[in-house]
Amino acid sequence: MTQPSMSRVPWPGAAYPLGATYDGAGTNFALFSEAAEKVELCLIDATGGQARIELEEVDGYVWHGYMPDIQPGQLYGYRVHGPYDPASGQRCDPSKLLLDPYGKAFVGDIDASDTIFSYDLNDPGQRHEEDSLSHTMTSVVVNPYFDWGADRQPHRPYHETVIYEAHVRGMTIQHPQVPPEQRGTYAGLAHPAVIEHLQTLGVTAIELMPVHQFVQDRALSERGLRNYWGYNSIGFLAPEAAYASSTAPGGCVAEFKSMVKALHAAGIEVILDVVYNHTAEGNHLGPTLSFRGIDNAAYYRLTDDNPMYYMDYTGTGNSLNVRHPHTLQLIMDSLRYWVTEMHVDGFRFDLASALARELHDVDKLSAFFDLVQQDPTVSQVKLIAEPWDVGQGGYQVGNFPPLWTEWNGKYRDTVRDFWRGEPATLGELASRLTGSSDLYQDDGRWPLASINFVTAHDGFTLADLVSYNEKHNEANGENNNDGENYNRSWNCGAEGGTDDPGIVELRARQVRNFLATLLLSQGVPMISHGDELGRTQKGNNNAYCQDSPLAWVEWAMAEQNADLVAFTARTAKIRRDHPVFRRRRFFAGKPIGTGGQLGDIGWFTPSGTEMTLDDWDSGFGRALAVFLNGNGIAERDQRGQQVVDDSFLLCLNGHEEDLDFTTPDGEYAKMWVVELDTTSPNGEGLDSHGDPTAVIAGKTVTVAPRSLLLLRKTE
């Protein structure tokens, strides 16, 4: 790394691109600030010394300069001179070394020192002007060059997608086949043993919890805890440095790229969970780390009547100001960077409703969504919204623009209610199983707009969903007051661990019911990491601060729960092999073809009669059968060929006792065979001879209490 010199004078350089851009010879630095009166580039040496270099060139409020001999690995930051007047929304503070909003890598840690605050913590009315350099992170000039070789983004269509939500550290920190130095890192996630497991499950896309550089919360650190989930971003173009096995400054960038390259080679897409709704600087009492000291009023949404304070649609203290063109530019530049330079395949937007708040109400036609729609790069990758925030009117499931897919919270709630035995769920269950047309059909979207999930990082794991009625978050140090109180969970008869064989068997069956329902529903399924292993958090439904075995994937369970892994893989294979479970269009519910008698879908009571309005509205029904017509898909593949498939009968029994289902006969079928049975640990439905159980059409088949049975038409 070239050591900085106090005597350097920068060349004029260019106002674009923003950030530190190495061109093979030197580095261009560019920083936006409309509030600044003077900007100093600080070059940091290996001993922590700094050279302050004034950027005298300004174009369109972008301060810039070119340093002809600055190489990758150089540490740097900014000091912005300008008004400090919180009452008017201005918070420039040159005593704080500021991170580059366009920084592509960071090193160091932000500690609990008071020096990172611009005010005296004991007297908020007084300034605190001690230099923060030795207590904060620094930005790093990175080498943009990387040998991608033959890397190609898989461009997996949504109807072939199975998403696996995972945490980089938690996924691999306990994996016995990953070398110790790679556990918990990008390199660990790219390890062949991890990739092989994903392939076994039929996963086509891994959705990584936040990997943008984030900051540890002071309050958590004081309690001996850490921000494990990472929803506390400070750098929107930088990979989280702590997830890299490489210790070289900026080494996280090449390691992240290598991970993507390895996953792509295995046919697995990489989707990032991104947090563009707020930053780690918190509310008006938060630290000055970057955006606040550069141009507070441009980057943050301030209250109209008193700009000392921040609008908070996220519950974290601040909200990014998506009404400002430079903040929108930062978000769009970040998205393009991760696609073009890091080769990621899509994004899941945390609290996406907050990005739609141009005024107060959520507006799906806001400037952000217009920009995404028009962008030739970003518009072509997977865009997934978490369609809510904590503000008024923030729950917007079904209301995002046609280009977007959404985490379908209504799917989660309905499926949970059905399998725990809540009444009056059959009608809504039918809608959720078939792609939620009530949410997505009116605006021109298809079943693929629904990202279906039963569990995610936020809430119970699947094993805990069937083992706890109440949350048990005592380890978080908040007196169990944090986390969701209404979980739609059922402990199957005992709270937490039990040796009762009946309860243990029921819980295992319920887990299989949830996985089978998820993978056999129309839409895009998302599995939460470790659910296929029986991962537990001991009833903690808000493990955001648990960077510990409580939240990590326990790979030792893979052998113990090998049948559950096999069940998940078997069910995913059924989905992959049969397009009738992953239709691109909604069911019509009408007869197909000229003179056709069968519709593309049919709904039956256990007695074999077609469902009537009274059956749907009974309020106590907990069982139904769904006929899926493989000849009624009415779609063509990429070669223009008509898509046809086997036909299936999906029987769901949410009752506490056996039910005999009469199988459709006549024009429906002559013979059925059991394809999947959730009473079986690995899903196989075999007869006494070890062959798939055959059922003569028109005869009854017994479906066990709280179980799912899938029959395939054989003739």
Side-chain angles (χ1 to χ4, degrees):
M1 180 179 73
T2 302
Q3 299 300 314
S5 168
M6 293 294 292
S7 62
R8 289 184 180 173
V9 176
W11 298 357
Y16 185 86
L18 290 162
T21 306
Y22 175 68
D23 62 7
T27 303
N28 189 79
F29 295 89
L31 178 77
F32 160 77
S33 177
E34 189 172 351
E37 296 169 354
K38 182 173 79 170
V39 171
E40 291 176 306
L41 168 67
C42 295
L43 301 177
I44 316 300
D45 66 24
T47 66
Q50 61 177 315
R52 297 191 182 194
I53 300 168
E54 184 175 349
L55 299 180
E56 298 180 348
E57 297 290 332
V58 189
D59 292 293
Y61 302 114
V62 176
W63 305 71
H64 56 89
Y66 181 84
M67 304 297 291
D69 56 354
I70 294 298
Q71 303 293 302
Q74 174 67 58
L75 310 184
Y76 73 98
Y78 291 103
R79 297 187 187 274
V80 175
H81 300 255
Y84 182 85
D85 182 13
S88 64
Q90 300 291 350
R91 295 178 179 266
C92 295
D93 184 355
S95 72
K96 310 309 173 200
L97 184 76
L98 303 176
L99 299 174
D100 185 353
Y102 279 76
K104 298 180 180 67
F106 300 102
V107 298
D109 293 303
I110 295 172
D111 62 28
S113 170
D114 293 353
T115 61
I116 61 175
F117 294 87
S118 293
Y119 64 93
D120 188 326
L121 269 64
N122 297 314
D123 184 1
Q126 297 296 316
R127 292 290 306 279
H128 188 259
E129 299 182 277
E130 185 177 347
D131 194 329
S132 67
L133 170 59
S134 60
H135 300 282
T136 189
M137 296 177 181
T138 53
S139 309
V140 185
V141 176
V142 304
N143 185 347
Y145 305 107
F146 179 79
D147 182 7
W148 282 104
D151 180 70
R152 293 183 60 188
Q153 292 169 292
H155 293 296
R156 181 87 62 172
Y158 270 117
H159 70 284
E160 296 178 0
T161 297
V162 175
I163 298 174
Y164 189 86
E165 186 194 32
H167 188 283
V168 171
R169 178 169 166 82
M171 180 73 172
T172 64
I173 191 67
Q174 296 190 113
H175 200 298
Q177 293 177 261
V178 175
E181 67 276 11
Q182 292 183 359
R183 293 174 188 170
T185 70
Y186 305 121
L189 201 60
H191 191 275
V194 177
I195 291 177
E196 181 182 4
H197 179 74
L198 296 175
Q199 291 177 313
T200 296
L201 296 178
V203 169
T204 69
I206 187 166
E207 182 178 301
L208 299 180
M209 290 176 65
V211 298
H212 286 172
Q213 182 68 57
F214 61 89
V215 173
Q216 292 300 319
D217 305 73
R218 179 170 173 148
L220 289 178
S221 298
E222 291 173 347
R223 301 206 305 268
L225 300 171
R226 291 178 59 81
N227 187 320
Y228 172 62
W229 285 353
Y231 292 92
N232 204 32
S233 300
I234 197 65
F236 296 122
L237 286 84
E240 168 60 41
Y243 293 161
S245 60
S246 169
T247 58
C252 56
V253 176
E255 187 169 324
F256 183 93
K257 291 178 177 179
S258 295
M259 175 196 71
V260 173
K261 185 177 178 181
L263 288 165
H264 281 178
I268 299 172
E269 294 182 309
V270 178
I271 298 172
L272 302 187
D273 190 340
V274 289
V275 188
Y276 293 115
N277 51 72
H278 75 281
T279 80
E281 290 184 300
N283 63 15
H284 63 289
L285 298 176
T288 301
L289 306 175
S290 179
F291 309 92
R292 172 174 281 137
I294 294 170
D295 196 327
N296 185 61
Y299 281 117
Y300 291 116
R301 185 78 178 270
L302 308 179
T303 58
D304 294 332
D305 56 343
N306 190 345
M308 175 182 289
Y309 302 105
Y310 296 80
M311 295 296 294
D312 183 10
Y313 296 117
T314 64
T316 60
N318 65 55
S319 301
L320 275 181
N321 184 12
V322 292
R323 298 184 297 182
H324 194 282
H326 274 279
T327 304
L328 281 172
Q329 180 185 353
L330 170 63
I331 296 173
M332 295 305 299
D333 286 348
S334 168
L335 292 170
R336 278 190 295 269
Y337 174 80
W338 286 98
V339 176
T340 60
E341 296 297 321
M342 308 295 263
H343 287 206
V344 305
D345 305 281
F347 305 95
R348 179 264 188 189
F349 292 78
D350 177 64
L351 300 181
S353 293
L355 296 173
R357 291 184 182 271
E358 284 203 337
L359 300 175
H360 173 73
D361 296 328
V362 175
D363 175 13
K364 68 179 180 181
L365 298 179
S366 69
F368 170 69
F369 295 102
D370 288 344
L371 289 174
V372 170
Q373 180 75 33
Q374 297 168 17
D375 191 282
T377 298
V378 179
S379 65
Q380 298 306 302
V381 300
K382 289 182 169 65
L383 302 171
I384 304 170
E386 181 186 33
W388 50 79
D389 63 22
V390 301
Q392 183 178 1
Y395 193 75
Q396 293 291 318
V397 173
N399 291 331
F400 275 70
L403 192 65
W404 290 69
T405 63
E406 303 174 13
W407 270 26
N408 190 344
K410 291 188 176 182
Y411 178 94
R412 170 200 60 204
D413 296 346
T414 301
V415 172
R416 287 186 179 192
D417 279 349
F418 176 78
W419 285 117
R420 71 189 181 111
E422 285 295 293
T425 62
L426 286 185
E428 187 163 7
L429 177 68
S431 180
R432 303 299 158 240
L433 292 175
T434 55
S436 297
S437 61
D438 58 323
L439 299 178
Y440 305 115
Q441 192 168 30
D442 288 347
D443 57 12
R445 288 188 284 175
W446 301 109
L448 308 173
S450 179
I451 305 297
N452 299 329
F453 67 104
V454 176
T455 60
H457 68 273
D458 189 1
F460 283 142
T461 67
L462 193 50
D464 289 355
L465 185 68
V466 302
S467 303
Y468 295 90
N469 285 348
E470 308 295 335
K471 65 184 182 183
H472 296 269
N473 297 354
E474 291 81 7
N476 296 356
E478 300 179 41
N479 298 315
N480 205 32
N481 291 319
D482 62 303
E484 176 61 54
N485 291 314
Y486 184 47
N487 294 285
R488 290 183 160 90
S489 62
W490 178 47
N491 65 19
C492 297
E495 188 73 356
T498 180
D499 294 328
D500 186 308
I503 294 176
V504 170
E505 193 281 328
L506 175 57
R507 287 176 176 175
R509 191 175 351 127
Q510 286 284 74
V511 166
R512 293 191 292 271
N513 287 338
F514 282 120
L515 286 169
T517 305
L518 175 66
L519 289 165
L520 299 179
S521 295
Q522 305 298 324
V524 180
M526 184 185 79
I527 301 168
S528 182
H529 72 178
D531 275 352
E532 77 284 0
L533 305 176
R535 185 175 78 91
T536 177
Q537 293 178 169
K538 310 299 183 184
N540 190 316
N541 73 351
N542 189 33
Y544 77 102
C545 58
Q546 295 298 325
D547 189 0
S548 69
L550 182 69
W552 300 337
V553 173
E554 186 178 352
W555 286 96
M557 301 180 71
E559 184 174 348
Q560 174 186 337
N561 292 325
D563 280 339
L564 182 57
V565 176
F567 176 90
T568 308
R570 177 184 180 86
T571 311
K573 186 176 187 302
I574 292 172
R575 178 184 183 86
R576 181 171 65 253
D577 291 347
H578 295 286
V580 74
F581 296 110
R582 45 182 178 80
R583 293 167 53 103
R584 294 184 292 114
R585 300 291 183 261
F586 286 111
F587 290 98
K590 299 176 181 179
I592 59 172
T594 304
Q597 298 300 308
L598 298 181
D600 52 7
I601 190 170
W603 301 92
F604 297 89
T605 67
S607 65
T609 61
E610 291 196 39
M611 295 279 287
T612 65
L613 289 177
D614 288 341
D615 294 322
W616 289 116
D617 297 336
S618 65
F620 56 80
R622 296 184 186 177
L624 79 165
V626 191
F627 171 73
L628 303 171
N629 191 342
N631 290 317
I633 298 177
E635 299 170 6
R636 296 187 181 277
D637 61 21
Q638 294 299 316
R639 297 182 178 181
Q641 300 298 310
Q642 184 70 41
V643 176
V644 294
D645 192 12
D646 294 328
S647 295
F648 289 85
L649 186 70
L650 180 64
C651 303
L652 300 97
N653 180 13
H655 280 280
E656 300 173 357
E657 56 189 32
D658 288 346
L659 280 180
D660 289 333
F661 279 69
T662 300
T663 58
D665 59 358
E667 67 269 31
Y668 288 97
K670 294 180 181 179
M671 183 69 70
W672 302 91
V673 67
V674 175
E675 194 79 7
L676 188 73
D677 183 356
T678 61
T679 65
S680 168
N682 63 11
E684 294 179 344
L686 305 179
D687 61 21
S688 59
H689 302 289
D691 299 318
T693 301
V695 180
I696 299 173
K699 301 297 184 180
T700 61
V701 59
T702 300
V703 181
R706 289 197 169 90
S707 72
L708 177 152
L709 194 67
L710 179 67
L711 305 176
R712 178 172 55 86
K713 174 184 174 181
T714 57
E715 58 178 291

